Amino acid sequence: MNEELLKQLKNKYEALGENPENYLKGLLHSKPLNYWDYIEVDTLLSLQKPKTDFKDETVFIIYHQITELTLKLMIHEARQITELKDFTGEEIFMDKLKRLMRYTDMLITSFDVMKDGINYDDYSQFRLSLTPASGFQSAQFRHLELMCTPPINLVNENGKKELTSTPSADEIFENIYWRDAGYNRSTGKSNYTLKAFEEKYLEGFKALTMNVQGHCILEQYLKFDNPSEKLKIRMKDFDHHYNVRWPMIHLKTAAKYLQKKGKVKEATGGSDWKKYLHPKYQQRSFFPDLWKKDDILNWV
């Protein structure tokens, strides 16, 4: 046995105030680690629970579960940017943005699974059993947005007309763009999909906003004294990929299944999907000041 390795192990556990011998003795009884245990394969493969007998509903479920796992990867990278303390170099920041771009590309290309991999007639039937659930209710999607930019940047032009000159956090969240998927401004009423979503997650969204205040991704970028043009371009690329390209692919995929032969079907969550999904309506930009004349609102 390598004496230096034993010494390092001894130092490690003594630094923790633990007896190194107890840990080494424990190794005598530990079982070898298997792939299926480490990845929790059996648990992972048991999480698909279709509501109907249509075979392609399983494809639909797994697709959305993969999307949620991809968003978790993105939040994992975004959190590391929000925790940065050193702004003398751009390497870590650039690397994390590159990873965020890679995962966004995965989200964009994965829509082929939905667009070309699900039987239209089957989907038209099993989707009815999903009401009022909606992909709009993905909390991780909102978590990532709030880690990228201050929530005021998630209020579209219609929403901003409702704000006071110095809006509170509650006021901003009352007018944030995603509420338009389930809130009727003329009646002041919310549908069940939005009510259930806000009841479960809204306080957590507000807490996250407070936790990252001053060091969301946009605010971290602004701490560089003289950010390079390369960093600026990477910020804009991520902004455009996530807030323009991905929503447009989503919209086109939804159109295939919800609009056919001149008939427009309602989304399972009840939103006006043709309007709500379009990035021109959402007007979402994480880093609006970086665009200036080269406006991200020139969406397509």
Side-chain angles (χ1 to χ4, degrees):
M1 176 71 73
N2 186 308
E3 293 295 327
E4 180 60 29
L5 180 58
L6 286 172
K7 182 180 178 182
Q8 290 176 7
L9 287 169
K10 181 174 182 291
N11 291 339
K12 172 185 175 179
Y13 292 114
E14 286 179 346
L16 295 172
E18 298 290 322
N19 184 343
E21 288 190 12
N22 290 338
Y23 285 87
L24 292 174
K25 289 177 181 176
L27 290 175
L28 294 174
H29 308 290
S30 298
K31 294 180 180 179
L33 183 65
N34 292 308
Y35 169 83
W36 52 88
D37 292 324
Y38 180 63
I39 303 299
E40 296 279 3
V41 172
D42 291 340
T43 300
L44 190 62
L45 299 183
S46 71
L47 298 178
Q48 294 75 50
K49 299 178 174 63
K51 304 300 181 185
T52 71
D53 292 327
F54 292 101
K55 301 303 181 185
D56 278 355
E57 188 186 351
T58 296
V59 179
F60 186 83
I61 293 171
I62 293 175
Y63 168 79
H64 284 86
Q65 289 177 341
I66 291 171
T67 297
E68 290 293 335
L69 287 172
T70 304
L71 289 171
K72 186 170 184 177
L73 285 170
M74 297 181 76
I75 289 170
H76 177 69
E77 301 299 340
R79 182 174 293 113
Q80 292 174 71
I81 295 179
T82 67
E83 293 172 352
L84 278 178
K85 305 295 183 184
D86 183 1
F87 297 91
T88 58
E90 298 178 351
E91 293 79 10
I92 295 176
F93 205 104
M94 292 276 282
D95 179 64
K96 300 306 175 187
L97 283 173
K98 186 176 181 180
R99 294 187 185 192
L100 288 170
M101 279 284 291
R102 184 180 300 119
Y103 296 138
T104 305
D105 282 337
M106 287 172 59
L107 293 173
I108 291 169
T109 57
S110 72
F111 261 113
D112 286 345
V113 173
M114 288 280 287
K115 183 168 63 69
D116 302 320
I118 293 181
N119 180 275
Y120 174 84
D121 293 325
D122 285 0
Y123 175 75
S124 297
Q125 294 299 313
F126 75 69
R127 66 181 291 274
L128 299 176
S129 69
L130 310 181
T131 305
S134 170
F136 151 78
Q137 294 175 313
S138 170
Q140 287 200 116
F141 192 100
R142 312 306 168 193
H143 288 157
L144 185 58
E145 291 178 324
L146 294 170
M147 294 176 77
C148 285
T149 196
I152 189 65
N153 289 335
L154 301 175
V155 179
N156 62 22
E157 292 304 316
N158 284 336
K160 286 177 180 175
K161 293 176 183 177
E162 306 297 323
L163 299 179
T164 60
S165 56
T166 55
S168 65
D170 287 344
E171 193 178 347
I172 290 172
F173 274 97
E174 285 171 5
N175 292 282
I176 206 159
Y177 85 91
W178 70 61
R179 296 197 81 233
D180 290 343
Y183 178 70
N184 187 318
R185 292 185 184 275
S186 61
T187 64
K189 294 182 179 180
S190 300
N191 64 17
Y192 176 83
T193 301
L194 178 61
K195 286 179 181 177
F197 180 63
E198 292 188 325
E199 182 177 327
K200 184 172 178 63
Y201 294 119
L202 184 56
E203 292 308 311
F205 294 155
K206 292 179 181 179
L208 173 61
T209 300
M210 292 296 294
N211 288 337
V212 300
Q213 188 173 22
H215 52 98
C216 69
I217 291 179
L218 173 58
E219 291 164 324
Q220 294 287 74
Y221 165 82
L222 294 174
K223 292 175 184 176
F224 288 102
D225 289 334
N226 188 25
S228 67
E229 190 65 21
K230 187 176 181 180
L231 177 56
K232 177 181 177 181
I233 290 172
R234 187 154 291 176
M235 292 277 285
K236 292 175 67 177
D237 280 347
F238 171 54
D239 201 4
H240 192 269
H241 266 61
Y242 192 87
N243 292 318
V244 180
R245 287 196 63 204
W246 187 29
M248 284 303 298
I249 295 294
H250 189 176
L251 178 62
K252 290 175 182 177
T253 302
K256 176 177 178 177
Y257 289 99
L258 298 179
Q259 178 178 309
K260 194 172 185 180
K261 298 179 180 179
K263 295 181 179 180
V264 179
K265 299 176 182 177
E266 188 178 76
T268 52
S271 66
D272 181 354
W273 61 270
K274 287 186 71 176
K275 180 174 72 172
Y276 172 73
L277 288 178
H278 203 296
K280 230 173 189 178
Y281 181 83
Q282 294 183 355
Q283 298 173 353
R284 189 178 65 226
S285 174
F286 294 152
F287 321 124
D289 290 343
L290 293 182
W291 291 92
K292 296 181 180 177
K293 294 180 181 179
D294 192 17
D295 198 339
I296 192 175
L297 291 177
N298 295 322
W299 300 106
V300 291

